[in-house]
Amino acid sequence: MTTVKSPLADDARKHVAKALQGALVDLIDVALTAKQAHWNITGRHFRPLHEQLDEVVDIVREHSDSVAERAVAMGISPDGRPSTVAESTGPPRLESGFLDQDKVITTFTDILGQSVQRFRERIAETENADLVTQSLLIEITADLEKHHWMFRVQS
Ligand SMILES: [Fe+2]
């Protein structure tokens, strides 16, 4: 089996792998869920929310790529397969079908709020393991918190 050599010690690598894999799954989940809501949202404020959701999709997709590539750079194989994302207990689920705008606002306030919490745990987890990974997680958390705020104030 081909492997990418890690610059990290075993113990540090374990913490970094757990944090980055969890982050990757969360970001892919949020990207897919935001796209689903982008398509299905209904209501008087359809247009700005439709666009706001696509801003979330763009930012989390970009961050998911950074997280996966950071993992590889650390000798960790990222797992972004749909089956892995589906099996992970990540952000709250979105119901199927058309979605009322108020439901979308409360659900995304929840999804982004919980994601921020988990990212903050990952920031703590990487504190002693790898500061460069931690810095990436901090940057992503700041963006998630910004979007969390932008949904929260609408509810
Ligand atoms: Fe679109």
Side-chain angles (χ1 to χ4, degrees), residues 35 38-39 50 54:
K35 207 54 166 168
H38 167 85
W39 295 321
H50 176 75
D54 244 1

Side-chain angles (χ1 to χ4, degrees), residues 63-74:
H63 284 319
S64 68
D65 194 48
S66 304
V67 162
E69 291 179 357
R70 176 73 197 156
V72 180
M74 294 299 97

